[in-house]
Amino acid sequence: MLKKRDQPSIYNNKVMLTRKAYNLLLVHKMEDKCGGGKKMAYKYSKGWFILKLKEWGITHHPVKRNKLELNKTYELRNLYNELCKSRGRDK
């Protein structure tokens, strides 16, 4: 027996969808409208440094060996600056 949320109840483009599938469809449509689900953060905030470091494939602090999210902003900024200098990239 299907649960109430999984029972077909919504029609979209003449295709019967379950409520769960319809909600997933709405989420994907919203992500497409909002830029493909890109994560955003204020420039030079803690979240911005984490996103930039993860783009480079760094998920843990190289010395402390803990997740980036557990570090203070100034530690992430210093790590980012060191990597920029070593890789020869501009900020």
Side-chain angles (χ1 to χ4, degrees), residues 30-60:
M30 289 303 294
E31 286 178 353
D32 292 340
K33 288 182 181 178
C34 297
K38 292 182 182 176
K39 295 184 179 180
M40 296 178 60
Y42 288 109
K43 195 168 185 179
Y44 303 116
S45 67
K46 181 177 180 178
W48 185 83
F49 286 116
I50 290 171
L51 287 175
K52 290 294 180 181
L53 292 169
K54 284 187 176 182
E55 283 177 7
W56 292 347
I58 299 168
T59 57
H60 290 78

